[in-house]
Amino acid sequence: MAARILAAPPDGSRLKPVTGAPGLPYIGQTLQVMRNPFGTATKRYEQFGPVSWSWLLGRRTVTVQGPEAAEIVLVNRDKVFASGPAWSYYIGPFFRRGIMLLDFEEHLHHRRIMQQAFTRDRLAAYMAAMAPGIGRGLDAWTPGDRFTVHDHVKQLTLDLAVDVFMGVDLDRAEADRINGAFVDAVRAGTAYVRFPVPGLRWQRGLRARRVLEDFFRAHLPAKRRDGGDDLFAALCQAETDDGHRFTDDDVVNHMIFVLMAAHDTTTITLTTMAYYLAKHPEWQERLRDESLALGKPVLAFEDLDALTGVDLVMKEALRLVAPVPALPRRAVRDTEILGHHIPAGTTVVVPLLTNHRMPEWWPDPERFDPERFARREDKVHRYAWEPFGGGAHKCIGLHFAGMQVKSIMHQWLLRYRWSVPGRYTWPLDTTSLPSPKDGLPVRLDPLEAS
């Protein structure tokens, strides 16, 4: 398909127009990007370079590939790229006014309050609170030849979110209902039909939002009154030095967003780690030896830095499968990226999932090689590896995420050994947040019987 320009630069400008192959209006390259993001990104880069455009999910969208362009957008030194308007198009009806959907001074104000829920003392309390739940969840796993890792890890992380984030006692049916609502809300963001047709993703997402709102509003008065060590209570009680606190609406909005971000991204990271540790048993044994050497059945806060091997594997998993596959922004005024004219109102996307596998920046990018982080290959550019984003919107929960992944993996390694057939390759579904279509079936054996 012949290249077309997005918009002509102003007369006399030194800037180049953004070119691309837009495809059909509205649909454009949506299907190709969702079904084969890596091949599509490679072809796009070879044809148009690091800045190009196409129609994606009904929007004229500029995609920026590589760390140099990513830094311009994410660091956002001139405050020209807004997160809220871009994300709102995809997930606004379901996760409205979450921290990622706010911008500039309002975002900074909310982030300062929310930061009180992620202090070192709070993190240590969350970690201590989650340890018994990790043990109960792992002990309930049934070993066998068709143990589906993704499904079980997702259930575990939701249960931990209920314990540590909500601090609410739920029976299994209610926990499953809330989990289903989160799943429906997340999947709605990549719906092809973006209005409420009964039975389709968008309508299910709207219904899920109502379920989540009702749930948190019902429990909010008790959290305001009684406090606690959970995130829900922390957001209800958080206060800046100058006395600013969240309203009830703020707490509900942030809880819905943070819970989605926490349990979905952690599930993807742990599932990816499990896949590559099954494919590379030498790494699984290395990590198990590391945990055994620690001599503790439960990881303590002060032990986090000791699991260096887990840290390397986690970083490589985040490189190979970024849990948040892309970060969108909206240009609030005319600007430029790498010498290309970006008109005001343009949606700009940083594709983390494919940026992390660019051979221009990563040697042998398809290979699982955790040692690349010991060799500091990620330091070739400060934005070569950016699974948590960057700039003002860098993930506020990144330290919690690492703590939770290490806590779960430590106890998992001490209980079980898992494997896949030598020729198995997981079918990665990238139509929404990345996950294995088959649930990642493994042979799970109790460690004592292995």
Side-chain angles (χ1 to χ4, degrees):
M1 185 178 296
R4 292 172 54 187
I5 67 169
L6 174 66
D11 290 342
S13 171
R14 59 178 175 77
L15 299 177
K16 298 175 289 187
V18 177
T19 59
L24 296 173
Y26 192 83
I27 297 173
Q29 290 192 315
T30 301
L31 297 179
Q32 296 97 307
V33 168
M34 286 185 170
R35 294 174 179 173
N36 182 19
F38 304 108
T40 303
T42 299
K43 184 176 179 180
R44 179 198 294 262
Y45 188 81
E46 291 173 349
Q47 188 172 1
F48 303 112
V51 184
S52 62
W53 80 280
S54 65
W55 283 91
L56 290 174
L57 287 171
R59 285 286 173 93
R60 291 183 179 90
T61 302
V62 170
T63 300
V64 297
Q65 299 190 66
E68 294 171 337
E71 181 175 18
I72 292 169
V73 175
L74 298 179
V75 175
N76 197 18
R77 291 184 177 87
D78 296 329
K79 294 185 177 180
V80 71
F81 296 108
S83 181
W87 276 113
S88 292
Y89 176 73
Y90 301 105
I91 64 172
F94 323 109
F95 298 101
R96 58 181 175 268
R97 295 191 62 74
I99 190 68
M100 196 165 64
L101 280 73
L102 304 177
D103 282 295
F104 309 126
E105 290 305 315
E106 184 180 36
H107 170 261
L108 181 60
H109 173 69
H110 280 247
R111 192 177 178 97
R112 282 173 175 162
I113 301 174
M114 187 175 284
Q115 194 65 53
Q116 305 309 307
F118 291 97
T119 62
R120 181 180 177 86
D121 288 344
R122 283 283 188 182
L123 290 174
Y126 299 151
M127 186 170 175
M130 77 171 71
I134 294 172
R136 287 193 302 271
L138 293 172
D139 287 340
W141 287 2
T142 302
D145 291 335
R146 297 289 297 176
F147 179 87
T148 50
V149 169
H150 180 266
D151 302 335
H152 285 81
V153 169
K154 189 171 183 63
Q155 188 64 65
L156 175 61
T157 58
L158 176 73
D159 290 345
L160 292 176
V162 170
D163 288 344
V164 180
F165 277 12
M166 300 186 205
V168 177
D169 291 327
L170 300 181
D171 60 29
R172 184 74 271 154
E174 179 69 353
D176 289 344
R177 187 175 76 94
I178 299 303
N179 187 27
F182 278 115
V183 171
D184 286 345
V186 170
R187 291 183 65 81
T190 53
Y192 299 137
V193 179
R194 306 183 72 77
F195 49 88
V197 176
L200 297 187
R201 280 189 183 186
W202 197 262
Q203 190 267 346
R204 291 199 300 269
L206 293 174
R207 184 175 60 219
R209 170 73 192 200
R210 292 192 293 271
V211 168
L212 296 173
E213 280 190 359
D214 291 346
F215 173 82
F216 285 113
R217 290 193 186 282
H219 291 282
L220 196 146
K223 288 296 176 182
R224 289 280 199 203
R225 181 186 67 243
D226 301 332
D229 290 330
D230 53 273
L231 179 69
F232 197 177
L235 293 182
C236 286
Q237 306 298 321
E239 184 174 337
T240 60
D241 292 340
D242 50 0
H244 289 288
R245 302 181 71 182
F246 285 139
T247 66
D248 286 359
D249 285 346
D250 291 335
V251 173
V252 170
N253 291 332
H254 288 315
M255 280 301 298
I256 291 173
F257 178 81
V258 170
L259 274 167
M260 176 276 294
H263 97 269
D264 266 323
T265 55
T266 302
T267 295
I268 294 166
T269 302
L270 283 164
T271 302
T272 304
M273 292 174 71
Y275 170 65
Y276 284 102
L277 290 175
K279 294 280 285 183
H280 299 270
E282 72 281 4
W283 269 98
Q284 187 180 149
E285 293 307 319
R286 173 173 166 176
L287 266 55
R288 182 171 292 109
D289 289 345
E290 186 177 79
S291 284
L292 286 168
L294 199 59
K296 296 181 178 180
V298 173
L299 198 64
F301 191 76
E302 60 270 17
D303 298 323
L304 288 170
D305 291 340
L307 297 186
T308 55
V310 174
D311 194 59
L312 294 176
V313 171
M314 179 176 66
K315 288 177 177 178
E316 180 70 337
L318 288 167
R319 183 189 71 82
L320 287 162
V321 183
V324 180
L327 297 175
R329 298 289 188 266
R330 178 81 61 80
V332 298
R333 59 181 183 274
D334 285 3
T335 187
E336 66 174 284
I337 299 174
L338 300 182
H340 293 80
H341 171 59
I342 308 295
T346 300
T347 297
V348 178
V349 168
V350 180
L352 308 185
L353 185 68
T354 54
N355 273 6
H356 286 168
R357 296 200 192 189
M358 295 182 71
E360 294 83 357
W361 299 95
W362 294 96
D364 198 3
E366 301 301 316
R367 183 164 64 94
F368 173 73
D369 180 14
E371 289 288 357
R372 69 174 78 239
F373 287 90
R375 298 190 298 269
R376 303 321 305 261
E377 289 180 10
D378 55 312
K379 295 303 181 183
V380 65
H381 189 286
R382 60 182 299 200
Y383 278 82
W385 184 78
E386 72 257 4
F388 299 104
H393 281 89
K394 189 169 186 176
C395 177
I396 196 170
L398 67 92
H399 296 297
F400 177 89
M403 178 184 77
Q404 186 176 33
V405 167
K406 288 183 176 182
S407 296
I408 293 172
M409 188 55 67
H410 175 70
Q411 293 200 43
W412 186 353
L413 288 161
L414 294 179
R415 282 171 169 79
Y416 301 106
R417 179 174 282 111
W418 62 99
S419 60
V420 293
R423 293 185 178 181
Y424 172 80
T425 300
W426 69 349
L428 189 64
D429 182 354
T430 52
T431 59
S432 183
L433 297 183
S435 62
K437 294 178 184 178
D438 59 0
L440 181 55
V442 302
R443 176 180 175 84
L444 185 75
D445 293 306
L447 194 59
E448 296 79 8
S450 298

